[in-house]
Amino acid sequence: LNLGFRYDYNTPVGEEQNRLNYIFDPTLPVNLQGLSGVRGGLTFVGTDGSPDQPWETDYNNFQLRGGGAFQLNQRTVLRGGYGRYFLNPTGQGHQQGFSISTPLVGSNDGNRTPLYNLSNPFPTGVPQPPGASLGARTFLGRNIQYANPEFEVPYIDQFSVGIQRELPGGISGEISYAGSRSHRQQSEFRGFNDPSLDLVRQCDVTQGGNRAFCDEQLPNPYFGVAGFEGTARFTSPTLSRFELMRPFPQFGRIFETERNDGKIIYDSLQFVANKRWSRGFVVNSNYTYIPRYTQIGASSGWTQSAPDGDDGGALNAFIDPITRALHEGPYWTHRKHRLAASGVYELPFGRDRTGLMGALLQGWSVAPMFVYQSGQPWRLPNNVDLVGDASLAVEKDGQFIYGMKPCIGQRNNATGQYQLIALSAAYGCTE
């Protein structure tokens, strides 16, 4: 028996001068010129009673380990083990307000009519980082993000059980099961400030809605209001209904990072056979069958960029932020079958030679290797809505391998309806 115990103390990040954001407080009043009843804004660590760190310390990182081997008889051994391991998260929190960019809003109508001359593209000036001085007015009109204050350190449970047997001819064989369960994987939620599902359905042509309803331009209550400088909410007299129907329309998208939505499930059956060195010959071979390597709410492929420009696709847990449906599918390194064999064979023609011929011919060997494994899963494409099952049995066609049905429809801006592209119609798609 081998038994072990480990404890990790992993503190959240901090900043010497408290230059970090805390939570987004939906009840925080926002003082805006000519507008009343506006609520919701960023808060900052170490100010107004907020803690000095963006999330709490997780004290529960206890890790038990255990392994054992039991000799069933002279030639057979049973082995098994279990261990819990905590990850070392690398999240650094957010510093909105302590750095800021000034985007160029060059037009309100798709660049048909320019707003400014090139000689003065920023007539309202270039904003300076305000720090925490603006309070709830920080980053008005922009996308914002904050860290989940209840973030916990992710961990993984690993376990295995197997039986090993000595076979005739100096061969050992082993059959084992190995699996793991990853819990509380880091993730983020990007739908905190998205409009309601009811509104989205009214704009979804696949559910009888009309996209024009969400795109309709309505009077912008933030037009010219101090605090929104450098954003479209300051320069445009109208905003779409979709933007104005956000729960907190004074902001764009709101991301909550450092969440624990993710889980990864791994199961495998492993076969190993080794022939020990004898008569100048040794062979090692193994086959692994992995029926399940599933990710839920973590590492789910590429998605649209985060507010700071980082893609962050591997952390976006939700395939639909409005319904909060989690990503679920094969992990990107999943290989259902893997067979590997290698060995060394000492060539016999120099064994009994002496003198010069022995020096030239003795000691030569060949070392072959063979590896076969299944292909990797496809990542979901970007900027698409998946309707139905897009999978296709893999077929070879010349130099190309197809893994998804190329049935693609694009929205007609004039009619609001979807139409198959020419490539899809030629392939045989009908809807």
Side-chain angles (χ1 to χ4, degrees):
L1 288 176
N2 289 305
L3 302 176
F5 169 78
R6 172 174 170 143
Y7 176 76
D8 285 355
Y9 176 66
N10 197 320
T11 66
V13 296
E15 208 279 330
E16 184 177 7
Q17 299 180 31
N18 288 332
R19 291 177 294 193
L20 285 172
N21 300 120
Y22 187 46
I23 63 171
F24 177 85
D25 186 348
T27 66
L28 198 64
V30 187
N31 183 20
L32 293 177
Q33 168 192 345
L35 298 174
S36 61
V38 180
R39 293 186 176 274
L42 281 171
T43 60
F44 300 84
V45 301
T47 60
D48 299 325
S50 298
D52 294 334
Q53 295 171 314
W55 57 84
E56 301 175 358
T57 301
D58 182 4
Y59 295 100
N60 298 314
N61 300 338
F62 301 97
Q63 299 157 81
L64 296 176
R65 319 275 174 84
F70 180 71
Q71 187 174 13
L72 297 176
N73 55 44
Q74 191 69 19
R75 295 176 179 272
T76 310
V77 174
L78 179 67
R79 306 179 188 278
Y82 163 82
R84 172 167 291 186
Y85 303 84
F86 277 83
L87 278 66
N88 183 31
T90 58
Q92 299 182 11
H94 306 288
Q95 294 183 295
Q96 292 159 118
F98 300 100
S99 63
I100 192 171
S101 62
T102 308
L104 173 64
V105 183
S107 173
N108 290 328
D109 56 5
N111 294 323
R112 288 185 290 272
T113 306
L115 285 178
Y116 310 125
N117 294 324
L118 290 178
S119 60
N120 185 21
F122 302 102
T124 60
V126 177
Q128 299 300 307
S133 62
L134 296 180
R137 299 172 70 238
T138 301
F139 265 40
L140 286 174
R142 294 173 168 85
N143 298 335
I144 60 175
Q145 52 190 341
Y146 69 96
N148 170 28
E150 299 178 352
F151 173 71
E152 296 178 307
V153 179
Y155 67 91
I156 179 173
D157 290 324
Q158 296 182 336
F159 37 85
S160 65
V161 61
I163 188 168
Q164 187 178 38
R165 173 76 175 176
E166 182 182 357
L167 304 172
I171 299 175
S172 66
E174 184 174 354
I175 301 175
S176 60
Y177 161 80
S180 67
R181 301 291 185 268
S182 301
H183 302 274
R184 304 195 310 220
Q185 294 291 297
Q186 284 179 265
S187 59
E188 63 183 37
F189 176 56
R190 302 181 175 187
F192 187 89
N193 200 32
D194 282 2
S196 68
L197 181 59
D198 288 339
L199 175 75
V200 173
R201 283 174 173 167
Q202 294 181 64
C203 309
D204 187 351
V205 297
T206 66
Q207 300 190 43
N210 189 336
R211 177 64 184 264
F213 181 73
C214 278
D215 292 341
E216 182 181 359
Q217 296 295 303
L218 303 175
N220 174 17
Y222 310 113
F223 176 58
V225 175
F228 290 89
E229 291 87 351
T231 72
R233 278 166 168 72
F234 185 81
T235 58
S236 177
T238 62
L239 288 176
S240 70
R241 176 179 276 108
F242 186 91
E243 286 296 317
L244 291 173
M245 290 300 291
R246 294 185 182 276
F248 305 95
Q250 69 270 28
F251 296 104
R253 303 192 71 190
I254 300 178
F255 292 3
E256 182 181 60
T257 65
E258 310 304 328
R259 290 173 59 99
N260 296 108
D261 300 292
K263 183 177 181 180
I264 301 177
I265 303 171
Y266 174 85
D267 294 302
S268 71
L269 188 61
Q270 303 177 7
F271 301 87
V272 179
N274 297 314
K275 181 189 180 302
R276 291 191 291 269
W277 181 271
S278 64
R279 300 189 180 186
F281 186 50
V282 63
V283 175
N284 302 299
S285 61
N286 63 79
Y287 167 70
T288 304
Y289 171 61
I290 305 175
R292 180 167 63 168
Y293 196 177
T294 302
Q295 56 185 3
I296 303 172
S299 303
S300 302
W302 308 117
T303 53
Q304 59 189 355
S305 297
D308 56 3
D310 181 19
D311 177 79
L315 297 179
N316 185 20
F318 299 85
I319 194 170
D320 185 347
I322 296 177
T323 62
R324 302 202 176 196
L326 289 170
H327 279 288
E328 181 171 353
Y331 192 67
W332 71 277
T333 60
H334 186 195
R335 307 292 189 273
K336 192 171 185 178
H337 302 279
R338 177 178 171 85
L339 174 64
S342 62
V344 176
Y345 176 59
E346 186 179 37
L347 298 176
F349 49 73
R351 288 178 183 172
D352 300 326
R353 302 274 185 167
T354 59
L356 179 61
M357 293 303 295
L360 292 175
L361 298 177
Q362 283 184 354
W364 289 92
S365 62
V366 293
M369 175 181 287
F370 171 80
V371 176
Y372 165 83
Q373 66 181 15
S374 304
Q376 73 180 61
W378 282 48
R379 287 188 182 273
L380 296 179
N382 198 6
N383 296 326
V384 299
D385 294 323
L386 298 180
V387 181
D389 185 1
S391 64
L392 179 71
V394 175
E395 300 174 358
K396 289 187 176 181
D397 181 9
Q399 61 178 320
F400 300 101
I401 298 177
Y402 297 100
M404 295 184 184
K405 299 173 185 175
C407 299
I408 303 166
Q410 290 183 325
R411 187 171 69 90
N412 186 311
N413 290 326
T415 64
Q417 301 298 312
Y418 285 96
Q419 298 172 337
L420 285 172
I421 64 175
L423 179 149
S424 300
Y427 180 81
C429 302
T430 57
E431 60 177 328

